[in-house]
């Protein structure tokens, strides 16, 4: 990946910017023959085109003389940035090295629904999704206590009973409160079940 493209609180110094991508260096490497530094990925991409010269001074390059630069990497990771969700309202700022830890709790970060329904939404929108919208949420029938999913509830008989609970069972257990309920259900239930 090319360099870091985040909102830095202070403009990065030129020596921290990759000459190839123009961003703060990610996993910087140094060419020991001339001392120039680049993002590892940027330099590998450059060299993959068959040009074995330093992009800065055109001196011949030797793979054996390219080394990681942990000191420069520590300087880049120590720079202060704003959260990647600052435009959406997140007010966090901190060192670049702390970003991943922040994103694991950031209420604006997009996460997958833990019920594996396929939805991806911001962490702050997750509780209402899990409670009201998730087709894989777990519900309990208020009449018989049976567990079922939101999907089963959505495809219910029209008054909150999942299809897998037989209407006859509901009637036997005295869960039906009045005849109006049977009239509403009669559209979807065979006439043999109705009195």
């Amino acid at each position: 990946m090319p360099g870091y493209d985040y909102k830095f609180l202070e403009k990065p110094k030129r020596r921290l910017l990759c000459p190839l991508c123009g961003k703060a260096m990610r996993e910087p490497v140094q060419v020991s023959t001339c001392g120039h530094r680049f993002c590892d990925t940027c330099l590998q991409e450059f060299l993959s085109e068959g040009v074995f010269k330093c992009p800065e001074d055109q001196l011949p390059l030797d793979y054996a003389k390219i080394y990681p630069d942990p000191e420069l990497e520590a300087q880049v990771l120590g720079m202060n940035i704003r959260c990647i969700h600052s435009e959406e309202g997140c007010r966090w700022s901190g060192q670049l090295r702390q970003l991943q830890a922040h994103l694991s709790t950031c209420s604006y970060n997009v996460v997958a629904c833990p019920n594996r329904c396929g939805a991806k939404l911001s962490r702050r929108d997750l509780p209402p999704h899990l409670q009201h919208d998730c087709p894989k949420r777990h519900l309990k029938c208020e009449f018989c206590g049976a567990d079922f999913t939101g999907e089963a509830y959505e495809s219910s008989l029209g008054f909150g009973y999942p299809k897998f609970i037989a209407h006859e069972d509901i009637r036997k257990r005295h869960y039906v409160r009045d005849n109006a309920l049977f009239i509403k259900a009669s559209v979807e239930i065979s006439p043999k079940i109705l009195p």
Side-chain angles (χ1 to χ4, degrees), residues 111-119 121-139 148-151 154:
V111 294
C113 174
N115 292 340
R116 298 183 182 174
C117 73
L121 52 163
S122 69
R123 189 173 274 109
R124 66 190 184 137
D125 295 333
L126 192 58
H129 168 78
L130 291 172
Q131 190 173 7
H132 304 292
D133 304 324
C134 181
K136 304 226 180 199
R137 70 191 183 277
H138 297 283
L139 301 169
F148 56 98
T149 65
E151 218 165 25
E154 306 303 332

Side-chain angles (χ1 to χ4, degrees), residues 15-176:
R15 65 184 179 79
L16 301 177
L17 301 177
C18 174
L20 293 170
C21 69
K23 299 173 184 169
M25 284 187 240
R26 184 188 304 261
E27 298 173 2
V29 292
Q30 181 178 16
V31 179
S32 63
T33 52
C34 60
H36 291 114
R37 295 171 172 91
F38 308 92
C39 297
D40 184 39
T41 306
C42 293
L43 186 59
Q44 295 302 327
E45 254 179 55
F46 179 81
L47 296 175
S48 71
E49 295 172 7
V51 180
F52 296 102
K53 295 180 178 180
C54 174
E56 282 288 272
D57 57 21
Q58 303 303 308
L59 291 175
L61 272 183
D62 180 358
Y63 269 114
K65 296 186 177 170
I66 299 171
Y67 300 100
D69 191 338
E71 211 173 284
L72 184 64
E73 185 172 28
Q75 290 176 29
V76 171
L77 294 175
M79 296 176 64
N80 290 314
I81 61 166
R82 294 189 200 292
C83 178
I84 60 173
H85 301 292
S86 61
E87 290 180 9
E88 297 153 52
C90 183
R91 305 177 119 210
W92 178 87
S93 63
Q95 291 184 345
L96 176 55
R97 68 172 46 92
Q98 299 165 332
L99 178 63
Q100 290 309 313
H102 163 68
L103 291 177
S104 69
T105 60
C106 177
S107 61
Y108 293 90
N109 202 32
V110 174
V111 294
C113 174
N115 292 340
R116 298 183 182 174
C117 73
K120 294 188 181 214
L121 52 163
S122 69
R123 189 173 274 109
R124 66 190 184 137
D125 295 333
L126 192 58
H129 168 78
L130 291 172
Q131 190 173 7
H132 304 292
D133 304 324
C134 181
K136 304 226 180 199
R137 70 191 183 277
H138 297 283
L139 301 169
K140 191 177 271 296
C141 177
E142 64 181 292
F143 298 103
C144 68
D147 291 324
F148 56 98
T149 65
E151 218 165 25
Y153 181 80
E154 306 303 332
S155 64
S156 68
L157 298 173
F159 49 83
Y161 300 107
K163 282 184 180 171
F164 59 81
I165 298 175
H167 189 84
E168 191 173 276
D169 289 343
I170 293 169
R171 187 172 162 216
K172 274 186 212 171
R173 296 179 192 171
H174 307 290
Y175 294 136
V176 177

